[in-house]
Amino acid sequence: MELNITLFRMINDLGKEHDFLNPLFIFFAEYSLYFLAMAILIFFFSRNGRNRVMVVCAGLTFILAEIVGKLVSKLHTNYQPFAVLDDVNKLIEKDINNSFPSDHTILFFSFCMTFWLFSKSRYRFLWLVVAVLVALSRVGVGVHYPADITVGALISMVVSFIVYKTVPPLAITKRLFHSQASIERTKSGGL
């Protein structure tokens, strides 16, 4: 617990020492969700069966990771740092409840890790950068400890890898999404 508090102070105090970081912490902690939602919609409604499978896998990863997160939260409980510690740089409003593990981190790592696994782009590492920035911002705004985000990230990473390896090869996935892609290619005059 001491290491957790020490790491929390190191990250959270950055906003006190460098005021310009506070809007960045707030943006990633609160508003990056809108950009993730936009990316999900763009990928899902593209005419690419692989993108649709990716979004479905990411959604399934999030659901399963949240279930695992809720089970893990029964094993360990801690309230948000702002509710327990003095002199916290609290930048957003949050109800006091069990902050272990971080739901925001589970959400972002579920989607971003899945997008990273599916991507063939050399810029795919940016998905993981976004997930890490969101996770760290939750500490920066004072609502999570480093252990909360670390466990949330680990749960999502493991679940996303399992889903990535098991769901795309399933016959139902191939039938639903790859036949849909073939139909769309035929309609648009593609091969």
Side-chain angles (χ1 to χ4, degrees):
M1 191 64 180
E2 275 305 311
L3 177 61
N4 204 19
I5 293 171
T6 301
L7 291 172
F8 169 79
R9 291 286 187 201
M10 286 173 54
I11 298 167
N12 187 257
D13 286 350
L14 287 172
K16 291 186 214 170
E17 296 167 15
H18 309 286
D19 286 349
F20 72 91
L21 290 175
N22 288 334
L24 292 172
F25 284 151
I26 293 169
F27 171 78
F28 280 104
E30 291 286 289
Y31 301 107
S32 57
L33 183 60
Y34 298 111
F35 293 97
L36 179 63
M38 196 176 349
I40 292 166
L41 290 172
I42 289 168
F43 282 132
F44 190 78
F45 289 108
S46 71
R47 291 185 171 209
N48 184 324
R50 182 174 170 84
N51 284 350
R52 289 182 178 165
V53 171
M54 176 180 71
V55 171
V56 168
C57 285
L60 182 60
T61 295
F62 172 61
I63 291 167
L64 295 174
E66 264 298 300
I67 291 169
V68 172
K70 295 303 178 204
L71 293 173
V72 168
S73 74
K74 302 293 183 198
L75 302 174
H76 176 77
T77 302
N78 58 260
Y79 293 117
Q80 286 84 359
F82 70 82
V84 178
L85 303 175
D86 294 326
D87 197 31
V88 169
N89 188 30
K90 182 183 176 209
L91 301 175
I92 62 172
E93 288 303 313
K94 179 91 170 97
D95 292 336
I96 298 172
N97 54 25
N98 184 9
S99 70
F100 182 85
S102 166
D103 290 330
H104 268 76
T105 302
I106 289 173
L107 171 68
F108 271 85
F109 268 89
S110 292
F111 279 89
C112 292
M113 181 70 182
T114 302
F115 291 175
W116 179 81
L117 288 167
F118 272 86
S119 178
K120 301 290 185 211
S121 168
R122 63 182 171 160
Y123 300 109
R124 71 187 199 152
F125 72 92
L126 292 174
W127 287 114
L128 297 181
V129 170
V130 167
V132 168
L133 289 173
V134 169
L136 290 174
S137 73
R138 302 299 289 176
V139 178
V141 298
V143 298
H144 284 289
Y145 290 101
D148 300 343
I149 63 170
T150 301
V151 171
L154 289 173
I155 289 169
S156 296
M157 289 165 58
V158 168
V159 173
S160 66
F161 186 76
I162 292 168
V163 168
Y164 175 74
K165 287 296 188 184
T166 58
V167 172
L170 293 175
I172 190 167
T173 305
K174 290 177 181 177
R175 201 168 40 248
L176 285 174
F177 293 102
H178 296 295
S179 63
Q180 179 70 27
S182 299
I183 292 167
E184 289 172 358
R185 274 196 303 275
T186 303
K187 285 181 181 175
S188 65
L191 297 175

